[in-house]
C-alpha cells in the first residue's frame, strides 16, 4: 500500500483562518454585526430556547477572554470537523476498495 503525498496548503489555509478568527470577532463587534437567523427570529418574535446549550455558545469559551475564546472555539471546531471529514473519507475509500473486483 502506497501513501499518496498530502498537499498541506489547505491545512495551512485553515490554520490561517483560525488564527485570524479573533480579528473577525473584533470586526463583527466593531460594526455591530448580528447573525441573520437571530435577526429573523427577533422579527418573528421567536424566543431562542435551545434544548441543548452547545459546547461553545456564542463562540465563547467560559473563563477565557472574548478574542481568545473565539480563537479556541474556532480551533476546536475546525479540528473536530477536519477529523470527521478525514474519518468519512477513510471509510469511503475502504468501502470503494472492498467493492472493487
Amino acid at each position: 500500500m502506497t501513501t499518496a503525498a498530502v498537499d498541506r496548503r489547505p491545512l495551512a489555509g485553515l490554520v490561517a483562518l483560525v488564527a485570524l478568527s479573533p480579528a473577525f470577532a473584533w470586526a463583527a463587534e466593531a460594526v455591530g454585526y448580528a447573525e441573520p437567523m437571530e435577526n429573523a427570529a427577533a422579527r418573528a418574535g421567536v424566543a431562542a430556547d435551545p434544548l441543548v446549550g452547545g459546547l461553545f455558545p456564542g463562540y465563547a469559551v467560559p473563563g477565557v477572554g472574548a478574542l481568545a475564546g473565539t480563537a479556541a472555539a474556532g480551533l476546536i471546531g475546525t479540528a473536530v470537523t477536519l477529523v470527521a471529514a478525514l474519518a468519512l473519507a477513510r471509510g469511503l475509500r475502504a468501502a470503494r476498495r472492498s467493492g472493487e473486483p
Side-chain angles (χ1 to χ4, degrees):
M1 180 165 118
T2 60
T3 304
V6 176
D7 186 3
R8 300 202 188 276
R9 288 179 293 178
L11 185 58
L14 287 174
V15 169
L17 288 173
V18 169
L20 290 172
S21 65
F24 296 141
W26 172 83
E29 188 175 314
V31 299
Y33 175 80
E35 294 287 334
M37 289 300 288
E38 291 176 7
N39 295 339
R43 277 188 237 127
V46 179
D49 191 20
L51 296 175
V52 179
L55 296 176
F56 303 110
Y59 303 105
V61 177
V64 178
L67 298 181
T70 300
L75 181 64
I76 293 167
T78 300
V80 168
T81 303
L82 184 61
V83 167
L86 291 174
L88 178 64
R90 177 177 278 180
L92 290 173
R93 228 179 283 125
R96 186 175 60 192
R97 275 193 223 116
S98 67
E100 291 179 358

